[in-house]
């Protein structure tokens, strides 16, 4: 009887340096295409979160106004939604379940009563923390 020999067509060879470089270039191209799109979505989600927080703060301020007859003053600030101001007898809060949130970039929201655009202006300066701006650096406002 003869012996059966198993032969492999490829042998025991690994990947060549050229093959590895081609794969690394493909991975780099994919990361270069997908990465910016991912980070753009992160910026959009921060803006959406700021708009949602401003909306929730506006609703709390409306409830404050129903109870007291006026919006919190600029001096009292948004803290008056959580803690009774010293001179407010008709306060029936707290109007927020938790402490007043910071904007998604870690800065406090700005309250101006009376506002330049309505009875009350509530806004965040956005990612850049400066008035005005464009794109992700634009102010997020309630008017």
């Amino acid at each position: 009887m003869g012996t059966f020999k198993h032969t492999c067509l490829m042998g025991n060879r690994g990947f060549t340096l050229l093959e590895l470089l081609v794969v690394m270039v493909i991975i780099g191209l994919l990361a270069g295409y997908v990465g910016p799109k991912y980070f753009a979505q992160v910026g959009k989600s921060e803006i959406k979160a700021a708009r949602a927080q401003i909306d929730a703060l506006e609703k709390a301020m409306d409830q404050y106004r129903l109870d007291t007859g006026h919006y919190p003053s600029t001096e009292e600030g948004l803290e008056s939604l959580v803690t009774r101001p010293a001179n407010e007898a008709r306060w029936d809060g707290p109007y927020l379940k938790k402490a007043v949130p910071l904007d998604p970039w870690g800065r406090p929201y700005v309250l101006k009563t009376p506002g330049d655009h309505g009875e009350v202006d509530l806004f965040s300066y956005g990612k850049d923390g400066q008035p005005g701006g464009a794109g992700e650096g634009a102010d997020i406002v309630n008017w």
Side-chain angles (χ1 to χ4, degrees):
M1 287 192 157
T3 53
F4 178 77
K5 267 187 160 179
H6 176 70
T7 59
C8 180
L9 294 175
M10 295 283 290
N12 286 334
R13 75 182 194 104
F15 293 108
T16 65
L17 181 59
L18 182 61
E19 290 169 329
L20 289 174
L21 287 174
V22 168
V23 169
M24 289 174 60
V25 166
I26 291 171
I27 290 172
L29 289 171
L30 287 173
Y33 177 74
V34 174
K37 293 193 180 293
Y38 170 75
F39 288 112
Q41 293 302 319
V42 170
K44 287 179 186 176
S45 68
E46 289 172 333
I47 292 169
K48 287 180 182 178
R51 286 190 178 128
Q53 286 177 333
I54 286 173
D55 187 51
L57 290 169
E58 272 191 302
K59 286 179 173 60
M61 286 192 308
D62 288 341
Q63 186 63 46
Y64 179 100
R65 182 181 183 203
L66 286 173
D67 290 345
T68 65
H70 58 86
Y71 285 112
S73 69
T74 302
E75 294 76 29
E76 292 169 340
L78 294 172
E79 285 302 318
S80 63
L81 299 174
V82 179
T83 307
R84 177 192 301 266
N87 60 350
E88 196 56 68
R90 297 185 325 190
W91 189 87
D92 194 28
Y95 300 97
L96 296 173
K97 292 181 182 180
K98 299 178 181 177
V100 177
L102 297 175
D103 71 12
W105 302 278
R107 291 183 292 274
Y109 287 98
V110 179
L111 172 67
K112 188 173 180 187
T113 309
D116 297 328
H117 304 277
E119 285 187 75
V120 63
D121 290 353
L122 179 62
F123 56 96
S124 164
Y125 286 122
K127 186 175 184 175
D128 65 1
Q130 302 295 320
E136 289 182 24
D139 298 347
I140 296 97
V141 300
N142 72 328
W143 59 87

